[in-house]
Amino acid sequence: MEDLRADLQAMIDRQAIYEVLTRYCRGVDRCDVELLRSVYHDDATDDHGMFKGLGHDFAPWIVDWERQNLRMGQHLIGNFRCDLAGDVAHTETYCISFSEDKEGRNATVYNRYIDRFERRDGEWKIDDRVVVIDMTRTDEPAAPFGNVPGWDFTFGARDHSDRSYAQEGN
Protein backbone atom coordinates (compact mmCIF):
# COMPACT_ATOMS: atom_id res chain seq x y z
CA MET A 1 0.00 0.00 0.00
CA GLU A 2 2.90 2.34 0.75
CA ASP A 3 4.29 1.85 -2.79
CA LEU A 4 0.89 2.66 -4.25
CA ARG A 5 0.69 5.90 -2.23
CA ALA A 6 4.21 6.89 -3.35
CA ASP A 7 3.35 6.18 -7.00
CA LEU A 8 0.11 8.16 -6.71
CA GLN A 9 1.93 11.12 -5.12
CA ALA A 10 4.52 11.03 -7.91
CA MET A 11 1.71 11.18 -10.50
CA ILE A 12 0.08 14.09 -8.67
CA ASP A 13 3.43 15.93 -8.46
CA ARG A 14 4.22 15.40 -12.15
CA GLN A 15 0.75 16.66 -13.13
CA ALA A 16 1.13 19.75 -10.93
CA ILE A 17 4.51 20.50 -12.54
CA TYR A 18 3.10 19.98 -16.04
CA GLU A 19 0.29 22.43 -15.23
CA VAL A 20 2.90 25.04 -14.23
CA LEU A 21 4.47 24.55 -17.67
CA THR A 22 1.13 25.04 -19.44
CA ARG A 23 0.44 28.17 -17.34
CA TYR A 24 3.82 29.51 -18.45
CA CYS A 25 2.93 28.98 -22.13
CA ARG A 26 -0.46 30.61 -21.68
CA GLY A 27 1.12 33.53 -19.83
CA VAL A 28 3.54 34.23 -22.69
CA ASP A 29 0.94 33.70 -25.42
CA ARG A 30 -1.65 35.94 -23.73
CA CYS A 31 0.97 38.50 -22.58
CA ASP A 32 -0.21 38.02 -18.99
CA VAL A 33 2.54 39.25 -16.65
CA GLU A 34 0.88 38.10 -13.44
CA LEU A 35 0.21 34.60 -14.78
CA LEU A 36 3.85 34.39 -15.86
CA ARG A 37 5.08 35.52 -12.46
CA SER A 38 2.94 32.84 -10.83
CA VAL A 39 5.08 30.03 -12.28
CA TYR A 40 8.32 31.22 -10.66
CA HIS A 41 9.45 31.25 -7.05
CA ASP A 42 10.41 34.78 -5.95
CA ASP A 43 14.13 34.02 -6.20
CA ALA A 44 13.92 31.85 -9.35
CA THR A 45 16.34 32.45 -12.21
CA ASP A 46 15.64 32.28 -15.94
CA ASP A 47 18.16 32.08 -18.78
CA HIS A 48 16.36 32.67 -22.07
CA GLY A 49 19.55 33.64 -23.91
CA MET A 50 18.31 37.15 -24.68
CA PHE A 51 17.34 37.54 -21.00
CA LYS A 52 19.24 36.26 -17.97
CA GLY A 53 17.91 37.15 -14.55
CA LEU A 54 15.04 36.60 -12.14
CA GLY A 55 11.89 34.91 -13.41
CA HIS A 56 9.75 37.67 -11.89
CA ASP A 57 11.73 40.21 -13.96
CA PHE A 58 11.50 38.04 -17.08
CA ALA A 59 7.69 38.19 -17.00
CA PRO A 60 7.27 41.92 -17.79
CA TRP A 61 10.37 41.90 -19.99
CA ILE A 62 9.05 39.18 -22.34
CA VAL A 63 5.54 40.67 -22.43
CA ASP A 64 6.95 44.07 -23.43
CA TRP A 65 9.21 42.45 -26.04
CA GLU A 66 6.36 40.40 -27.51
CA ARG A 67 3.99 43.38 -27.67
CA GLN A 68 6.62 45.47 -29.44
CA ASN A 69 7.70 42.79 -31.91
CA LEU A 70 4.97 40.21 -32.48
CA ARG A 71 1.41 40.24 -33.71
CA MET A 72 0.70 36.78 -32.27
CA GLY A 73 2.47 33.79 -30.81
CA GLN A 74 1.72 30.30 -29.58
CA HIS A 75 3.66 27.70 -27.58
CA LEU A 76 3.07 23.95 -27.78
CA ILE A 77 4.75 21.63 -25.32
CA GLY A 78 5.44 17.99 -26.05
CA ASN A 79 7.87 15.46 -24.63
CA PHE A 80 8.14 15.86 -20.87
CA ARG A 81 10.67 14.18 -18.60
CA CYS A 82 10.36 14.71 -14.85
CA ASP A 83 12.78 13.28 -12.29
CA LEU A 84 11.38 13.69 -8.79
CA ALA A 85 13.49 13.71 -5.64
CA GLY A 86 11.34 14.79 -2.70
CA ASP A 87 10.57 18.50 -3.01
CA VAL A 88 12.87 18.96 -6.04
CA ALA A 89 12.22 17.96 -9.63
CA HIS A 90 14.46 18.19 -12.68
CA THR A 91 12.53 18.41 -15.94
CA GLU A 92 13.16 18.60 -19.67
CA THR A 93 10.21 19.80 -21.73
CA TYR A 94 10.20 20.05 -25.51
CA CYS A 95 8.50 23.14 -26.89
CA ILE A 96 7.68 24.48 -30.32
CA SER A 97 6.80 28.16 -30.45
CA PHE A 98 5.19 29.80 -33.45
CA SER A 99 5.03 33.54 -33.93
CA GLU A 100 4.10 36.14 -36.50
CA ASP A 101 5.91 39.45 -36.38
CA LYS A 102 4.30 42.76 -37.23
CA GLU A 103 5.48 42.49 -40.86
CA GLY A 104 3.77 39.11 -41.25
CA ARG A 105 6.89 36.91 -41.15
CA ASN A 106 6.41 33.60 -39.37
CA ALA A 107 9.02 32.10 -37.08
CA THR A 108 9.15 28.65 -35.55
CA VAL A 109 11.50 27.89 -32.68
CA TYR A 110 12.16 24.33 -31.53
CA ASN A 111 13.45 24.50 -27.99
CA ARG A 112 13.59 22.71 -24.66
CA TYR A 113 13.06 24.00 -21.14
CA ILE A 114 15.62 22.55 -18.75
CA ASP A 115 14.04 23.34 -15.40
CA ARG A 116 14.64 22.77 -11.74
CA PHE A 117 11.35 22.87 -9.86
CA GLU A 118 10.94 23.12 -6.11
CA ARG A 119 7.89 22.47 -4.00
CA ARG A 120 7.68 25.19 -1.35
CA ASP A 121 4.73 25.55 1.00
CA GLY A 122 3.09 22.71 -0.92
CA GLU A 123 3.32 24.41 -4.33
CA TRP A 124 5.52 23.44 -7.27
CA LYS A 125 7.15 26.34 -9.14
CA ILE A 126 10.19 26.92 -11.32
CA ASP A 127 13.36 27.59 -9.34
CA ASP A 128 15.82 27.65 -12.26
CA ARG A 129 15.26 27.60 -16.02
CA VAL A 130 17.59 27.38 -18.99
CA VAL A 131 16.09 27.50 -22.47
CA VAL A 132 17.98 25.41 -25.03
CA ILE A 133 17.39 26.20 -28.72
CA ASP A 134 17.64 23.20 -31.06
CA MET A 135 16.42 24.68 -34.38
CA THR A 136 14.71 27.74 -35.82
CA ARG A 137 12.83 28.47 -39.02
CA THR A 138 11.51 31.68 -40.57
CA ASP A 139 8.91 31.83 -43.35
CA GLU A 140 7.75 34.69 -45.52
CA PRO A 141 4.29 36.20 -44.95
CA ALA A 142 1.33 34.07 -45.96
CA ALA A 143 -1.88 35.28 -47.56
CA PRO A 144 -4.36 36.68 -45.03
CA PHE A 145 -6.55 34.01 -43.44
CA GLY A 146 -10.11 34.52 -42.38
CA ASN A 147 -11.42 36.62 -45.25
CA VAL A 148 -13.47 33.80 -46.73
CA PRO A 149 -17.20 34.56 -47.12
CA GLY A 150 -19.27 32.65 -44.58
CA TRP A 151 -16.33 32.02 -42.25
CA ASP A 152 -16.57 33.81 -38.94
CA PHE A 153 -13.71 32.67 -36.73
CA THR A 154 -12.99 33.84 -33.22
CA PHE A 155 -9.39 35.05 -33.29
CA GLY A 156 -7.05 35.05 -30.31
CA ALA A 157 -5.98 38.15 -28.44
CA ARG A 158 -2.80 38.83 -26.48
CA ASP A 159 -4.55 40.11 -23.36
CA HIS A 160 -7.51 39.41 -21.08
CA SER A 161 -9.96 40.01 -23.94
CA ASP A 162 -8.97 36.55 -25.28
CA ARG A 163 -11.92 34.15 -25.24
CA SER A 164 -10.14 31.80 -22.80
CA TYR A 165 -10.41 34.39 -20.01
CA ALA A 166 -14.21 34.35 -20.31
CA GLN A 167 -14.28 30.82 -18.93
CA GLU A 168 -15.21 30.50 -15.28
CA GLY A 169 -12.24 30.05 -12.96
CA ASN A 170 -9.69 31.95 -15.05
Side-chain angles (χ1 to χ4, degrees):
M1 192 58 135
E2 214 40 52
D3 286 345
L4 180 60
R5 284 189 184 131
D7 288 347
L8 181 57
Q9 186 61 53
M11 288 173 57
I12 291 168
D13 290 341
R14 282 185 177 93
Q15 183 61 35
I17 290 167
Y18 189 79
E19 288 179 16
V20 171
L21 293 164
T22 62
R23 276 199 337 260
Y24 168 83
C25 293
R26 182 177 190 221
V28 174
D29 294 344
R30 302 284 68 83
C31 291
D32 188 331
V33 171
E34 291 312 309
L35 185 58
L36 275 172
R37 282 189 171 137
S38 78
V39 306
Y40 295 99
H41 286 295
D42 291 342
D43 58 347
T45 57
D46 191 310
D47 176 351
H48 255 75
M50 63 221 191
F51 174 95
K52 297 174 194 283
L54 294 176
H56 280 214
D57 295 336
F58 173 73
W61 183 89
I62 193 62
V63 166
D64 288 344
W65 185 91
E66 295 235 346
R67 285 186 173 149
Q68 289 175 22
N69 294 285
L70 302 180
R71 189 193 72 72
M72 186 55 80
Q74 190 175 89
H75 289 69
L76 300 175
I77 54 177
N79 298 356
F80 171 65
R81 180 187 55 78
C82 180
D83 297 325
L84 293 166
D87 289 334
V88 173
H90 295 275
T91 67
E92 176 186 36
T93 308
Y94 285 64
C95 177
I96 302 173
S97 64
F98 305 95
S99 61
E100 182 179 279
D101 68 17
K102 295 196 174 181
E103 286 76 46
R105 288 183 299 267
N106 297 297
T108 306
V109 178
Y110 304 85
N111 63 278
R112 290 174 287 131
Y113 301 127
I114 309 299
D115 294 324
R116 180 182 190 276
F117 279 80
E118 283 189 8
R119 177 174 34 208
R120 299 181 193 169
D121 299 321
E123 188 173 12
W124 287 103
K125 291 186 179 185
I126 297 168
D127 181 58
D128 182 67
R129 166 168 281 183
V130 175
V131 177
V132 175
I133 304 290
D134 290 321
M135 295 179 285
T136 62
R137 176 189 173 114
T138 304
D139 297 313
E140 291 304 312
F145 182 76
N147 295 327
V148 178
W151 290 13
D152 185 21
F153 289 101
T154 299
F155 285 90
R158 303 208 73 184
D159 55 30
H160 282 256
S161 70
D162 186 78
R163 178 69 175 105
S164 66
Y165 284 92
Q167 296 176 329
E168 191 172 2
N170 293 317

